[in-house]
Amino acid sequence: MGKTVIRAKNFSHFFGSVPALKNINLDIFQNEIFGIIGPAGSGKSTFLRALNRLNDLIPNSWPEGILEIGGRDVYAPGTSVVELRRRLGMVFATPVPLPRSIFENIVFGARMAGEKNRGRLTELVADCLKKTALWEEVMDRLETSALKLSGGQQQRLCLARILALRPEFIMLDEPTSGLDPISTMKIEETLRKLQAEYTIILVTNNTKQAARVADRTAFFLNGELIEVDTTERIFSAPSDQRTNDYISGKFG
Amino acid sequence: MRIYVDPKIEQRFFRAVLWLFTGVTVFILFFIIFYVLKRGLPVVSLGFLTKNPVEMGKAGGIFSTIVGTVALTLLAILIATPLGVGSAIYLTEYTRENWVTRVIRFGSECLAGIPSIIFGLFGFILFVTKLGLGWSLLSGGLTLAFMILPTIIRTSEEAIQSVPYAYREVSFSLGGTKWQTVTRVVLPSALPGIATGVILGVGRSIGETAAVIFTAGSSLHIPTSLFSSSRTMSVHFYILAREGISMANAYGTAAVLIIAILIINVLAYTLMNKFMRKYC
């Protein structure tokens, strides 16, 4: 078991008066792949978006309790949201390449951070594309539109775009929900390789995916954390009946 | 009681009716263009385009009015575009929908419906007399700018709103600030829509007569500064026709005006398409 890098203590998040997350208590360890499963509306995405404060964009929403990354409260006054979001790269459910070239997509974050050196940017692009196994496929057409890539390639591009931020965490919000099995497999392989360098939080509505790649898995239901344990335990001997019902497909 | 109509016949009937409507519209459009060009083009020559009017426009060309038109339109666009796009960005990205934004939006829509002669009168009172700018390019440009502002705001707003929300989310999640998100993601994607608004503005400015005659005056000299009075092509046409100076030259001016507007539209849309093709 590694060092705790993310810790939620009685953490709740409200949209209006409705809590989307209720009193979440959990720890995420360094360099693990942490899976979050649960049916739609269980608060999985809200949890991710609380971590990088993307929930801030939604009017009339607020957090309660403590959510720490590296021992520091994410919602403490004076926290730089820009810096926070660079530390926690996020991949969305639908791949969203920006209407720019492949190259410009990858360096987008770096450019916003002020990097102008063409050589360093080129190096960054090659490095990130290699890590996501996309380099061979696109190395000769970096200047073409990213919108021309296939869905699976687009999602790996989004992953590469995040690596270019040099983050500590990679958060994925149902990253393969729209992808075919082969593209899904490629993403999962990439995640396993990336685990050595990053802490990965994988939200998925595909329980089998969590079983395949996650070290530990949390089960969310209606905004509550039902249980969290090693993936092996969750899928072989869950302690809560609801977890068992969910993973065996009785609801979801 | 229902009369039975064979669906095939019904289909044919309505197709014919709709075809007729479209046909009438296109016919009217082409008739106007054809008529103006037929009466105007014989007068148009290189000399007509490059010589200044002589004897109030009875003879000579229309060079100074071309210069006046270009200068005035450019000025109006240069003033209205930043103001309009800025307002649109503020309304869509920096405020949440509330009664203030609704009032602003309602106001700008009302502004769009005001007859141009009222803008002319307003410009005359405010810029020409009160601020002492006189009949000048500056007075005219400011007046035209206010006139086309609502169009630019409206089209820019729509263009900005149609940029997928996901783009903004991606930009924020990659550590972008609000301003970076607006300038690097939202505006580039909204550019074609914004450009459409600006082109509409150009079209309205070029063709505007009432607002211009009150504010920019009708001097036939080539303008030398922002404070020179100047006559635009449409004002020139109006005066030539109204005062019965020269119908031939009036139509010549009209022909040049129409061709200029056509060229601007075609050019703008071609450029935009070329620009957009690159990454979409």
Side-chain angles (χ1 to χ4, degrees), chain A residues 49 85-86 100 112 145, chain B residues 169 172 175 180 184-185 279:
Chain A
R49 285 159 183 262
R85 290 181 184 149
R86 290 208 179 102
R100 296 160 169 252
M112 287 199 296
S145 169
Chain B
E169 255 182 2
F172 284 126
Q180 287 174 326
R184 298 179 189 216
V185 180
Y279 290 126

Side-chain angles (χ1 to χ4, degrees), chain A residues 49 52 54 57 59 82 85-86 92 96-101 108-109 111-112 143 145 147 161-162 165, chain B residues 96 165-177 180-181 183-185 188-189 277-280:
Chain A
R49 285 159 183 262
N52 70 355
L54 222 48
L57 300 180
V82 167
R85 290 181 184 149
R86 290 208 179 102
F92 298 89
V96 188
L98 296 170
R100 296 160 169 252
S101 66
F108 191 76
R111 276 206 201 279
M112 287 199 296
E143 293 305 326
S145 169
L147 301 179
R161 187 167 65 186
I162 277 162
L165 298 174
Chain B
R96 302 229 154 96
Y165 185 70
Y167 286 180
R168 296 178 176 83
E169 255 182 2
V170 164
S171 173
F172 284 126
S173 73
L174 291 171
T177 61
Q180 287 174 326
T181 303
T183 51
R184 298 179 189 216
V185 180
S189 299
R277 277 289 150 66
K278 212 169 161 195
Y279 290 126
C280 294

Side-chain angles (χ1 to χ4, degrees), chain B residues 28-45 48-49 62 233 237 247-263:
Chain B
I28 293 172
L29 177 72
F30 278 97
F31 179 73
I32 295 173
I33 295 178
F34 175 77
Y35 182 77
V36 171
L37 290 185
K38 185 176 171 263
R39 291 203 55 175
L41 275 185
V43 189
V44 178
S45 63
F48 188 72
L49 295 175
I62 56 164
M233 282 190 271
F237 171 86
M247 269 332 254
N249 280 355
Y251 273 107
T253 313
V256 174
L257 199 55
I258 284 189
I259 292 171
I261 291 174
L262 281 179
I263 291 175

Side-chain angles (χ1 to χ4, degrees), chain B residues 30 35 55 72 74 90 98 105 115 121 134-135 142 164 179 183 209 214-216 243-244 251 253:
Chain B
F30 278 97
Y35 182 77
E55 290 175 54
L72 203 62
L74 262 178
Y90 177 75
N98 58 30
R105 211 165 274 139
L121 206 60
W135 280 322
L142 285 166
W179 180 241
T183 51
T209 316
F214 276 113
T215 53
E243 319 260 314
Y251 273 107
T253 313

Side-chain angles (χ1 to χ4, degrees), chain B residues 21 31 39 73 91 135 156 191 206 230 254:
Chain B
F21 286 178
F31 179 73
R39 291 203 55 175
T73 305
L91 284 175
W135 280 322
S156 306
L191 204 59
I206 288 185
S230 176

Side-chain angles (χ1 to χ4, degrees), chain A residues 22 42 50 62 85 131 138 143 188 200 247:
Chain A
K22 296 173 218 165
S42 57
W62 67 91
R85 290 181 184 149
K131 278 184 185 163
V138 302
E143 293 305 326
E188 289 175 6
I200 297 171
I247 57 170

